[in-house]
Amino acid sequence: MIGRLLRDPLAHFLLGGAILWALLGLAGEPADPAARAIAVSRARQAALADNYAQLMGRRPTERELAGLIESDVREEVLYREALRLGFDQDDPVVRRRLATKMAEAASAGAEAAEPSDAELRGWLATHPQRFAGDAVLRFSQRLFASEAQARAALAVLRRGQDAGGDGGALPVTVGGLPERELRERFGRQFAAGLARLNPGGGWQGPIPSGYGWHAVRLDARLPGAVPPFETIRPRVLADWRGATMLARQEAAYRALRDRYRVTVAR
């Protein structure tokens, strides 16, 4: 008999309900009787209807709206009782969510802010590297079939002598190539190796690629040009807003943090 009860889903439900009501009884009534009052304002009902319309593509019927209101009340009741029982305490998910909400509150308004063009131009002038195009590289290269051949050639090239080798299917001397085109023509492996070289450092390498092994002399790495403000204004605005939100969040945190005394056990 007892075994059948333990396997019965209805018995599990009733047992869970009994435990919940026992917890409610132990918790007692809240100190503030107003905590038991739930008022569904016209504004809240309009918000529920708007959310439904965005999801379903039409306004809810009266019956559907009544169901939405009842669902909202149900959620509010369970939410308040969960708080009253302390279910929010020591829960990492709730903790992170509340911390996120506080950070969002601190940066409220930044997403809708409309800075002047003068402010955005100032932002662009202060952070040009965020909007610059690809860097342009000037270099010479000699291609060899093996790493050993390339290393032997490097020793000769560093003495200022001809070490043979050629560009293969690639140019021997590159007068100026944006990084994006460099990756397309020489391959990502070669581009990554070239990024590690110092301009003006003489013959360096060898750098592997899909063509072979390269001895390389990197003559210059020139910063990419910043496009005119008019053509990148949306990017500048998005960057300004993102940075402003982070700055407001950090300032708010620091202001709150200063009110706490933190000790870390050693």
Side-chain angles (χ1 to χ4, degrees):
M1 176 67 176
I2 295 177
R4 285 201 306 272
L5 284 174
L6 291 176
R7 291 190 298 269
D8 187 348
L10 178 59
H12 293 172
F13 174 79
L14 294 175
L15 179 60
I19 293 174
L20 176 60
W21 285 114
L23 287 171
L24 291 171
L26 289 173
E29 290 297 315
D32 181 9
R36 294 293 193 188
I38 297 176
V40 185
S41 66
R42 289 289 185 183
R44 180 59 183 164
Q45 295 177 51
L48 291 172
D50 289 342
N51 290 338
Y52 181 93
Q54 290 178 7
L55 182 64
M56 303 301 293
R58 62 174 179 82
R59 304 295 294 180
T61 64
E62 290 188 9
R63 182 175 180 179
E64 288 169 337
L65 180 57
L68 294 173
I69 293 171
E70 183 56 35
S71 294
D72 192 58
V73 170
R74 176 188 179 90
E75 183 179 87
E76 182 67 18
V77 168
L78 295 177
Y79 168 71
R80 292 189 188 186
E81 292 305 314
L83 291 181
R84 197 163 65 86
L85 293 171
F87 287 175
D88 59 314
Q89 298 174 14
D90 300 321
D91 186 322
V93 175
V94 174
R95 175 189 172 101
R96 276 194 298 270
R97 182 57 183 153
L98 291 177
T100 300
K101 292 289 286 184
M102 283 296 296
E104 291 173 351
S107 61
E111 291 187 15
E114 286 296 339
S116 66
D117 278 4
E119 290 178 281
L120 292 180
R121 288 180 185 276
W123 184 259
L124 175 59
T126 307
H127 307 91
Q129 71 283 357
R130 300 186 185 184
F131 309 96
D134 285 345
V136 175
L137 300 127
R138 296 176 181 169
F139 62 94
S140 297
Q141 62 94 21
R142 301 291 186 275
L143 180 64
F144 299 91
S146 69
E147 183 180 5
Q149 290 177 337
R151 289 192 181 279
L154 274 170
V156 177
L157 289 167
R158 287 166 180 164
R159 293 197 296 267
Q161 302 173 356
D162 183 12
D166 57 25
L170 302 167
V172 171
T173 301
V174 178
L177 194 65
E179 288 179 324
R180 178 179 54 81
E181 293 184 32
L182 174 72
R183 291 190 294 271
E184 292 174 354
R185 296 180 63 180
F186 286 78
R188 293 184 177 275
Q189 189 178 26
F190 179 85
L194 195 61
R196 292 191 287 269
L197 301 186
N198 296 318
W203 287 97
Q204 303 173 71
I207 297 176
S209 77
Y211 298 97
W213 290 83
H214 305 256
V216 182
R217 186 187 68 209
L218 179 59
D219 298 317
R221 182 183 288 112
L222 307 174
V226 179
F229 170 77
E230 290 76 14
T231 65
I232 58 171
R233 188 185 186 283
R235 285 177 54 199
V236 178
L237 175 60
D239 190 73
W240 177 89
R241 281 180 174 161
T244 300
M245 288 173 64
L246 291 177
R248 290 183 182 182
Q249 290 176 7
E250 183 62 18
Y253 166 70
R254 287 298 165 191
L256 295 171
R257 176 66 173 77
D258 290 343
R259 300 177 186 178
Y260 288 81
R261 184 179 68 257
V262 178
T263 57
V264 180
R266 301 296 183 185

